[in-house]
Structure formats: C-alpha cells, structure tokens
Amino acid sequence: MDKKTCLYDKHVALGALMSPFGGFIMPIQYSNITDEHQAVRNHCGVFDVSHMGEVRITGPDAERYVNHIFTNDVTDAPTGQIYYGMMLYPNGGTVDDLLVYKMGADDFFLVINAANIDKDVAWMEEHKAGFDITLDHQSDTYGQLAVQGPEAEDVVETVLGLKVSDLKFYTAKTIPAGGEELIVSRTGYTGEDGFEIYGSHTYIIEAWDALLSSNRCKPCGLGCRDTLRFEVGLPLYGDELSADISPVMAGLSMFCKLDKAEFIGKEALVQQKAEGVSQKLVGIELADKAIPRHGYTVLHDGQPVGSVTTGYHCISVDKSVCMALVDTHVAKLGTALQVQIRKKVFDGTVVKKKFYEKHYKK
Amino acid sequence: MATFESGLRYSESHEYVRTEGEYAYIGISDYAQHALGNIVYVDMPEVDDEVSAGEEFGAVESVKAASDLISPVSGTVVEVNSALDDEPELLNKDAFANWIIKVQMSDPSELDSLMDVEAYKAHCEA
C-alpha cells in the first residue's frame, strides 16, 4: 500500500496525474512536464517532496558516527553547513545518496531517498554499535517543499515571509514559524537556485496553499523534477547509483573523502581508484531524435558495452541525450557509441554528463 | 476532453484505422494523445515493411515514456507520415488529421474485430 504525503488531497484536487514512486503515491504532473520544467528554469516552481526521509543523529559521538557511515567529511563542520555524499556497502556499492545537515554541536539532520527509507534506517541502526548517539527517525514528522527557480528567493521571502536571502548555497538554518522551528536550506535537485523547507504537516499545507494562491509559483510534479535533475547531470538512486554502482563508477569521487580516517566502503573505493573500475557513467548525445530510455542497450561496433541509466529528449537544449553505464574502454569523451532503441540502432557520441549548465546562486 | 471521430475503426490499444479501399490509414486516437501528453518523438517503420495485426510497429514517445504502437491490421507499409519526424506535436494538435502510417491491407476482414466509435467510447470510459 503506497503512502500518501500530507499534500495528497491538494494534488488530487488540482487534477494531478498520480503515480507510485518510492513507496508513495506522488504527483507526476499537474499540467504537463514541459511547462512545469520551464517554470522552474525561468521563474519558480514548488514541489511536494514530503516523501523524502529524515533522520536526526544527536549525541557526543554524532560527528564520528556520521563520518563512519558517510563518504563526505563532516569533521568540525560549521553549523548550517550541508554535505552531499553516500552511504556505502563495504564493497563500495551504494546504500543511498543523501544530504547531511550540520544543525549544531553533536547534531546532524540526514535527508534520504523515499524508496530507501526502511533500508537506510536499518543500515544506520545496524552500524551504531560503539557510538554514543541517539538516532531519531523523523520521516513521518516532517513534510517538505522544494521551491525552485530564479525567482525562488523572492517568492519564499515575500509569500512565505521567511528570511532566506542570507542563506548561502548548501547551507541551512532554523526559522521559527507558527510555534515551530522550520528547517530551511538553499538546496534543490533542479540545477536552479532554490530552497527546501522542512516543517510540520500543518505548516507545509499552509505554505503550499499560500504559494499556489500567490500565482508566483507553479505546482510541479516529479516528472519535471526528473527532467530537471537529469539535464544538469545529477544522479538518481536506482538509475545512476545502486548497490552495484559505486560513486567512483558514477563519477562522484569528489564527494568521497578518501583522506578521512575511515568510513564504510573506503577500502573498496581506494582499490577502485588504484586499479580502475570496469564500467563508468557517461553522457551520450544521439544524432537522431529517438529517445534512449532506462535499460536500453549501449553498443560499440555492434557489441553490447553497457546500458542507459536515464534518457530524455532534453527539454532545455532540444537534443536526445542519456546517461549510461558503459565499459571503461569506451567511456572516453568523443567515443562513437550506439544505442539500441526498440528494433533500431542509433548513433551517438560520448559527451559530458552535464547537458545543461547549473544556475546556482553561490 | 477527448473527441471521438465516427466512421473509423478502433483498437483496444487506442489506434484508429481509416480505410480507403484496400488501404488503411493508422494513427492514434485523440483520447490516446491526451493520455500521453506532449509527444516528442514518433518511431515509425519504413515503407515496404510488413506489419501484423496485434503486433508492434513503432512507438509514440512523450517526455516521460515510450508507448508502443500496435498495428490493428496486417499488410505492407506504403507510406509513412514524415511530417511527424519534424513535428511530432502534430499528434497533439489533431490526432485524427495526422495519421502515422498507410498500410496496404492483406486481410481486410481483420477490420471486423475492431471497435466502432460507440464501442470505443465505452472502452475509454470503462
């Protein structure tokens, strides 16, 4: 049985196309994916991302524990700083990718993917022995909105009355509102400037209504969330990262601090860096308009060399492109590859995974 | 709201057939284009390809997904609507005016197993 977010009734009332995603029944689109995508690139869109999971880690060993399960380095992190990284299996495969918010001394807020909540929480519980921490699973406590786009700062300040202009990219702060403490961060998953707001279900419903009735902000579904993140080369767990895909294979080594004393999976990554990996994530641009989709076979001189992880006809640049996991010997920029799309084979070229430039406000 | 055109035959997978003697113009219904949303690519067979009733002959792609095109009749492709190569969105604008392939039917009796507009309307509402 799929769960519902606190905004489920709002989505249904708006006539959204609803579909299961990550254990939740979520809005895919309200009007159409292209219009919602363009609203975020050019103006402002709001997403219900209440399906995301939240875990709070507190206690004297909180920093040491987070450093143990997380690839990035939170040592002596300033309060409000946010880190992107992964939790790994000992073999280097990915448990999940996540954001870690440093909320205060001995206090971290972890944001995990909806589809992985049960698995992640079990993983965290399993690895807390020997650490003096409290692990509080708060996914049912928080609703979450993502307000994204070049006008997001003004919309959040004027419509919601939250002072966010002082927030730098990848930082967070708490803001009191209606008797509760919101967590607000300058983050997102679209390649545009924007904010993510964590609050009670009551607050999230009020904020959603205020944003929509302001007419400053278009409701946006998970359909365009995927096209937006894809264009700027951001990975999605299940496509570009998985138990079989390490961050080294996915080109995300910069978020794995191998100079850290230890973390689960470190030895495997050190070995992968030293010996190389058999497959790597690449971008492929097709000459034709045909659309490469997840799972389609990638060929080199007629031989299968990998498969597509995500592909679209890219909305912002009007090209058919994909990310694909391919054998390392054909992963060099400029290599001619082909993608099998149903019965036909289409020519493509290895390009950078970023198909459209990010527009973060740093 | 989706529109329905009378005088055509329809398949359960939402293709329509407009017949002209031994020729069948095959496209997707207005109901189907509505359900798909913005169509961004149409994968069509080539002239002289054989198509079989009930079998896939191409695909219509929206931003999010590819939907197979299933041929309602058997025969030989004699023409494809190449305008859809550059303007796949024509299917969104007028699905009935923009057929996808023209087939020379090998067994016109296959048309009998397709739905008329009233039956198709009921199928879509079910």
Side-chain angles (χ1 to χ4, degrees), chain A residues 282-285 326 330-337 348-352:
Chain A
V282 298
I284 301 173
E285 181 177 321
V326 301
V330 295
K332 274 211 181 71
L333 288 179
T335 307
L337 294 177
T349 310
V350 175
V351 296
K352 286 187 180 162

Side-chain angles (χ1 to χ4, degrees), chain A residues 17 28-29 32-35 222-223 226-227 288-293 296 311-313 315 341-344 346, chain B residues 35-38 40-41 43-46 56-59 61-66 68 84-89:
Chain A
L17 171 67
I28 301 305
Q29 63 183 61
N32 74 67
I33 291 174
T34 308
D35 288 355
L222 296 190
D226 201 50
T227 56
D288 209 294
K289 268 188 169 181
I291 304 172
R293 304 277 184 188
Y296 287 6
Y312 281 109
H313 187 83
I315 294 172
I341 299 177
R342 290 175 290 278
K343 292 170 188 162
K344 298 177 199 164
F346 292 87
Chain B
L36 285 164
N38 289 34
V40 292
Y41 180 71
D43 184 2
M44 294 181 283
E46 317 231 321
E56 178 246 312
F57 71 86
E61 304 220 24
S62 66
V63 174
K64 195 70 199 158
D68 283 345
L84 296 174
D85 281 333
D86 292 326
E87 289 184 90
E89 64 273 19

Side-chain angles (χ1 to χ4, degrees), chain A residues 82-314:
Chain A
I82 300 171
Y83 298 86
Y84 172 72
M86 298 86 205
M87 294 194 293
L88 301 181
Y89 295 105
N91 70 359
T94 309
V95 179
D96 202 0
D97 62 337
L98 63 155
L99 292 181
V100 171
Y101 290 50
K102 170 81 179 273
M103 299 306 296
D106 306 326
D107 184 357
F108 294 87
F109 183 69
L110 279 53
V111 183
I112 58 183
N113 282 303
N116 294 336
I117 290 174
D118 292 346
K119 178 184 75 175
D120 288 0
V121 172
W123 181 259
M124 292 177 197
E125 292 282 0
E126 203 179 306
H127 292 90
K128 70 177 191 182
F131 294 93
D132 184 2
I133 58 156
T134 303
L135 189 158
D136 186 12
H137 180 203
Q138 303 179 323
S139 299
D140 293 337
T141 309
Y142 284 106
Q144 186 190 348
L145 296 180
V147 183
Q148 301 281 301
E151 296 169 14
E153 180 183 298
D154 190 47
V155 169
V156 169
E157 294 219 327
T158 57
V159 179
L160 298 181
L162 303 175
K163 171 92 175 119
V164 293
S165 54
D166 56 331
L167 273 179
K168 292 200 162 54
F169 184 63
Y170 261 59
T171 65
K173 64 177 178 179
T174 56
I175 302 180
E180 65 179 283
E181 291 269 304
L182 306 173
I183 298 173
V184 182
S185 59
R186 193 162 210 147
T187 49
Y189 193 46
T190 61
E192 296 298 326
D193 187 27
F195 300 86
E196 293 181 294
I197 302 164
Y198 305 81
S200 68
H201 296 171
T202 310
Y203 177 84
I204 293 298
I205 292 167
E206 280 173 18
W208 174 270
D209 285 342
L211 288 164
L212 261 59
S213 57
S214 74
N215 287 322
R216 297 279 320 270
C217 204
K218 198 176 176 66
C220 292
L222 296 190
C224 79
R225 188 168 155 86
D226 201 50
T227 56
L228 288 159
R229 69 91 191 164
F230 165 75
E231 283 186 349
V232 294
L234 296 171
L236 173 65
Y237 189 90
D239 289 343
E240 285 77 32
L241 286 169
S242 72
D244 298 320
I245 308 175
S246 78
V248 174
M249 295 163 74
L252 299 167
S253 296
M254 64 180 289
F255 303 105
C256 303
K257 304 302 180 190
L258 299 181
D259 53 351
K260 233 171 39 163
E262 67 89 27
F263 61 87
I264 302 170
K266 179 183 165 182
E267 291 75 16
L269 295 196
V270 168
Q271 189 178 357
Q272 289 184 6
K273 293 290 271 187
E275 296 174 7
V277 288
S278 59
Q279 290 201 308
K280 279 186 176 172
L281 194 69
V282 298
I284 301 173
E285 181 177 321
L286 295 191
D288 209 294
K289 268 188 169 181
I291 304 172
R293 304 277 184 188
H294 178 91
Y296 287 6
T297 301
V298 179
L299 305 158
H300 178 69
D301 292 340
Q303 296 301 312
V305 290
S307 68
V308 173
T309 56
T310 307
Y312 281 109
H313 187 83
C314 203

